[in-house]
């Protein structure tokens, strides 16, 4: 135990009781009638009208942004004045506003007879793939995301002509109604359910019933105001309740499609049922669900630390980076970094581990709020009696045995503040290849992977880094960034690496976000600066490393001005006031 602390069970917020089933079901039937009418209405709107509707929607989202962020912060027990409240601005209304802006650009391009890929550079990627360079997408990205670049990689064999011709998905045939979709919302990040609804509407012309997770019940009135333009036209209905309501909805004949963000266990219960009935259905190949389903289900995300020659400042900054990957939203993220892969032969391994342990223990205290987190931490304590605990026993670092057949931290998505550390032999390309193989073959899931590599080592590898990215079987890959930041960038896709099926779902089936509505997406890749401003200047001058004007990103859990900067960025997204942006960027340098 670190510092002699006894491990203390986290606080878990008590969830409100489910709405009485009979009353909710009556409302559901009325809502389905409204959605049936809404589906017909959506098919009559041309692309320009749809773009204007989404423009109205961004106004109502902007008007509700403060209430949205503050309600979410209170529900997660973040105290007033905490810099961590910035997470709820960024991952809620900010991300939704950027997604709406990107969707409007796509609709306007299609309405003007252009492809959403017009003006996007397409280049070759390893393995017979092409990649679309979608970030920066607009001039302001060069400021707000200075030094970051993003690519969508398409499946092997897709040609440039095919990519351009297919871009737009359902909006290429807007009069084809997609019926009514059911979206079962996530409970951890407040924009997830709404972004899933938006993708259903645009990619497949499906109007939606959204069932929110009970952890977000307090936000339902906010959502109803923020998304009033969709609700008024019968394009969206929002319901809440417990598992009985979810079970009723998934078996309702009105739905043509189901999308879920959640756990593989919940997915399997929807598709196959439970208990002996599930076993029988699996054996017979007769799922309980009779309509198509897509899903995002999380996994165990690796953080591959490529050995190099790092300064003391590099060690501290990247340690804080990893701590953010694990502790943002108190670790309740489907792409929270969970297993750090280090080189056993890196001369700086000991110094880096010391910096990592120090940063992990010193990160701001916060409530471990997601339901059943206490059970998770108790299981970790039982599996790892030698774990290092900090923050009054609510976060742990565990050493992973690379020779174990099934180490729990590698096979269980903990969804709590638990970080594993594992060493592999080698340096340079040998280490990188070993780390990629370990991530692919030993870690559960295929949603997100992170790679940290200094510019000099990257240059020494030549094409080795691109080859490693191609070999990683993950749907989102961040290089010198965190895949969680990719979630906020609408032009990038979000979802598991292709290959999931209802019988073997892994991290899920299909993608969302993907604002340009590209077809046959395999993965998205984001690359960021290894060093923040101003430490990156010497390397950038020599052509080594990305240039950025950004200091510590506001999403770092150690950013002292994270709440102020995140609120300012959200308000700027809503009103476009350049003076507000200038003031916000000034505050960012106080992080």
């Amino acid at each position: 135990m670190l510092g002699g602390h006894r491990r203390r069970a986290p606080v878990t917020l008590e969830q409100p009781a489910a709405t009485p089933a009979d009353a909710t079901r009556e409302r559901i039937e009325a809502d389905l009638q409204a959605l049936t009418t809404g589906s017909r209405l959506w098919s009559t709107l041309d692309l320009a009208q749809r773009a204007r509707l989404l423009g109205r929607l961004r106004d109502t989202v902007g008007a509700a942004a403060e209430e949205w962020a503050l309600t979410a912060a209170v529900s997660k027990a973040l105290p007033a004045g905490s810099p961590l409240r910035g997470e709820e601005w960024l991952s809620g209304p900010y991300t939704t506003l950027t997604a709406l802006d990107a969707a409007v650009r796509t609709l306007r391009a299609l309405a003007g007879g252009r492809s959403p890929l017009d003006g996007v550079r397409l280049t070759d990627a390893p393995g017979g793939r092409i990649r679309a360079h979608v970030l920066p997408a607009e001039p302001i990205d060069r400021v707000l995301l200075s030094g970051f670049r993003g690519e969508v990689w398409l499946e092997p064999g897709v040609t440039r002509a095919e990519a351009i011709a297919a871009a737009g998905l359902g909006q290429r045939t807007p009069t084809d109604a997609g019926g009514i979709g059911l979206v079962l919302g996530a409970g951890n990040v407040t924009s997830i359910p709404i972004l899933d609804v938006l993708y259903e509407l645009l990619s497949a012309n499906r109007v939606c019933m959204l069932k929110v997770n009970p952890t977000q019940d307090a936000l339902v009135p906010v959502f109803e105001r923020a998304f009033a333009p969709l609700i008024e036209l019968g394009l969206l209905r929002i319901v809440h309740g417990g598992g009985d309501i979810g079970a009723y909805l998934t078996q309702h004949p009105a739905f043509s499609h189901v999308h879920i963000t959640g756990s593989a266990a919940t997915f399997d219960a929807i598709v196959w049922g439970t208990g002996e009935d599930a076993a029988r259905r699996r054996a017979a190949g007769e799922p309980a669900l009779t309509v198509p389903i897509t899903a995002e289900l999380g996994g165990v995300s690796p953080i591959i630390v490529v050995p190099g020659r790092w300064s003391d400042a590099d060690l501290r900054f990247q340690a804080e980076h990893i701590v953010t990957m694990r502790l943002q939203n108190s670790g309740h993220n489907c792409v929270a970094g969970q297993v750090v892969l280090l080189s056993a032969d890196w001369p700086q391994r000991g110094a880096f581990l010391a910096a990592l342990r120090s940063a992990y223990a010193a990160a701001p205290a916060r409530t471990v709020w997601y339901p059943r987190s206490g059970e998770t931490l108790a299981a970790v304590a039982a599996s790892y009696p030698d774990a290092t605990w900090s923050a009054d026993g609510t976060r742990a670092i565990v050493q992973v045995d690379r020779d174990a057949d099934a180490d729990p931290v590698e096979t269980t998505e903990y969804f709590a503040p638990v970080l594993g550390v594992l060493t592999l032999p080698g340096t340079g390309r040998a280490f990188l290849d070993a780390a990629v193989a370990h991530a692919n073959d030993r870690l559960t899931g295929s949603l997100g992977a992170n790679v940290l590599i200094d510019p000099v080592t990257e240059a020494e590898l030549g094409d080795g880094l691109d080859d490693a990215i191609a070999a990683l079987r993950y749907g989102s890959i961040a290089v010198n960034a965190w895949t969680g930041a990719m979630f906020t960038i609408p032009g990038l896709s979000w979802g598991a690496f292709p290959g999931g099926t209802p019988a073997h779902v892994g991290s899920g089936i299909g993608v969302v976000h993907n604002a340009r509505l590209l077809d046959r997406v395999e993965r998205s890749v984001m690359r960021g600066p290894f060093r923040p401003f101003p430490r990156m200047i010497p390397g950038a001058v020599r052509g080594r490393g990305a240039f950025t004007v950004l200091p510590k990103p506001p999403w770092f859990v150690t950013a002292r001005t994270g709440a102020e900067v995140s609120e300012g960025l959200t308000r700027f997204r809503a009103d476009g006031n350049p003076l507000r942006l200038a003031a916000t960027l000034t505050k960012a340098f106080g992080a």
Side-chain angles (χ1 to χ4, degrees):
M1 301 280 181
L2 184 65
H5 288 304
R6 295 181 64 191
R7 195 183 66 80
R8 178 170 59 83
V11 175
T12 299
L13 302 184
E14 183 177 344
Q15 299 306 317
T19 304
D22 289 345
T24 301
R25 290 176 184 183
E26 289 178 7
R27 178 187 167 187
I28 286 169
E29 297 307 316
D31 285 345
L32 287 170
Q33 289 298 317
L35 289 168
T36 300
T37 302
S39 179
R40 291 194 294 266
L41 174 62
W42 181 248
S43 68
T44 69
L45 299 181
D46 63 30
L47 296 175
Q49 290 172 318
R50 294 178 180 193
R52 288 195 293 272
L53 174 61
L54 296 191
R56 282 184 55 212
L57 187 60
R58 78 177 310 282
D59 291 341
T60 53
V61 169
E66 181 173 1
E67 185 182 9
W68 182 341
L70 296 185
T71 301
V74 169
S75 74
K76 297 180 182 182
L78 293 171
S82 169
L84 297 174
R85 285 195 166 200
E87 295 176 3
E88 300 312 313
W89 285 93
L90 282 184
S91 65
Y94 177 87
T95 296
T96 304
L97 288 166
T98 61
L100 289 169
D101 287 341
V104 168
R105 290 195 298 271
T106 291
L107 288 172
R108 287 176 176 168
L110 290 166
R114 305 186 308 278
S115 168
L117 281 174
D118 279 5
V120 175
R121 186 163 58 99
L122 301 177
T123 62
D124 293 332
R129 300 170 174 91
I130 60 170
R131 53 186 153 196
H133 296 260
V134 299
L135 180 72
E138 53 180 332
I140 194 62
D141 288 341
R142 300 184 186 279
V143 178
L144 300 184
L145 291 165
S146 175
F148 289 84
R149 296 171 292 139
E151 310 155 4
V152 178
W153 291 31
L154 303 184
E155 294 174 354
V158 177
T159 67
R160 285 166 171 76
E162 289 170 339
I164 292 169
L169 297 179
Q171 298 314 293
R172 300 185 65 83
T173 55
T175 59
D176 292 350
I180 304 173
L182 171 63
V183 171
L184 300 173
N188 59 326
V189 174
T190 60
S191 65
I192 291 176
I194 298 305
L195 297 182
D196 291 348
V197 166
L198 185 63
Y199 195 68
E200 287 286 288
L201 195 59
L202 296 177
S203 68
N205 288 315
R206 272 192 291 267
V207 302
C208 287
M209 178 170 285
L210 166 63
K211 183 201 173 293
V212 297
N213 187 287
T215 62
Q216 295 192 8
D217 278 354
L219 277 162
V220 170
V222 183
F223 288 162
E224 288 175 340
R225 288 188 287 276
F227 304 102
L230 298 184
I231 294 170
E232 290 167 0
L233 296 179
L235 308 179
L236 170 65
R237 285 294 185 270
I238 303 173
V239 299
H240 58 92
D244 57 332
I245 304 304
Y248 174 74
L249 291 171
T250 57
Q251 291 300 309
H252 200 290
F255 297 108
S256 62
H257 182 268
V258 175
H259 178 81
I260 176 176
T261 298
S263 70
T266 302
F267 176 93
D268 285 344
I270 291 169
V271 174
W272 301 104
T274 58
E276 294 182 3
D277 181 60
R280 179 187 61 77
R281 287 184 175 279
R282 279 186 178 274
E286 298 174 349
L289 185 71
T290 58
V291 298
I293 184 169
T294 53
E296 189 266 275
L297 306 175
V300 174
S301 294
I303 306 165
I304 298 173
V305 181
V306 183
R309 296 175 290 278
W310 294 12
S311 69
D312 289 345
D314 294 336
L315 295 171
R316 290 192 299 270
F317 179 78
Q318 295 302 344
E320 290 183 29
H321 200 173
I322 290 176
V323 168
T324 293
M325 297 179 193
R326 179 68 268 184
L327 297 185
Q328 200 270 358
N329 198 24
S330 207
H332 309 313
N333 289 321
C334 54
V335 285
Q338 185 160 306
V339 177
V340 182
L341 300 178
L342 292 175
S343 167
D345 302 312
W346 186 24
Q348 293 179 287
R349 177 172 61 91
F352 181 72
L353 279 173
L356 178 62
R357 293 178 185 276
S358 176
Y360 197 70
R366 64 190 306 162
T367 299
V368 183
W369 62 270
Y370 205 78
R372 305 183 70 174
S373 295
E375 296 174 24
T376 298
L377 294 182
V380 171
S383 297
Y384 296 97
D386 296 328
T388 301
W389 293 89
S390 56
D392 287 336
T394 59
R395 62 181 71 146
I397 294 181
V398 303
Q399 187 66 43
V400 181
D401 180 0
R402 71 170 181 260
D403 295 323
D405 290 336
D407 204 292
V409 77
E410 295 187 287
T411 57
T412 304
E413 181 192 5
Y414 279 133
F415 220 67
V418 181
L419 184 67
V421 177
L422 179 145
T423 58
L424 297 169
T427 59
R429 182 65 183 267
F431 168 79
L432 186 55
D433 288 348
V436 167
H438 192 96
N440 284 341
D441 300 337
R442 295 285 297 273
L443 304 187
T444 293
S446 64
L447 185 62
N450 312 275
V451 180
L452 301 178
I453 182 169
D454 68 90
V456 171
T457 302
E458 182 177 349
E460 291 172 349
L461 285 173
D463 293 333
L465 181 59
D466 248 14
D467 291 341
I469 291 171
L472 275 167
R473 297 192 296 270
Y474 287 82
S476 296
I477 300 171
V479 179
N480 293 331
W482 172 40
T483 48
M486 298 174 68
F487 174 88
T488 69
I489 299 171
L492 299 176
S493 58
W494 188 255
F497 192 78
T501 66
H504 303 284
V505 68
S507 285
I509 301 169
V511 301
V512 291
H513 301 192
N514 184 29
R516 295 178 190 269
L517 302 177
L518 305 183
D519 195 18
R520 297 180 63 186
V521 169
E522 182 184 63
R523 73 185 88 199
S524 283
V525 179
M526 187 167 79
R527 306 166 196 258
F530 179 75
R531 299 181 177 97
F533 181 89
R535 288 197 303 108
M536 36 58 60
I537 292 176
V541 169
R542 295 194 298 270
R544 295 286 178 89
F547 178 83
T548 180
V549 298
L550 298 180
K552 182 185 296 183
W555 58 82
F556 269 42
V557 296
T558 52
R560 293 189 298 271
T561 58
E564 297 171 272
V565 172
S566 300
E567 177 181 351
L569 292 176
T570 305
R571 294 189 185 278
F572 167 74
R573 274 291 183 185
D575 64 21
N577 186 329
L579 295 179
R580 184 191 305 281
L581 177 61
T584 298
L585 293 177
T586 300
K587 291 177 182 177
F589 282 88

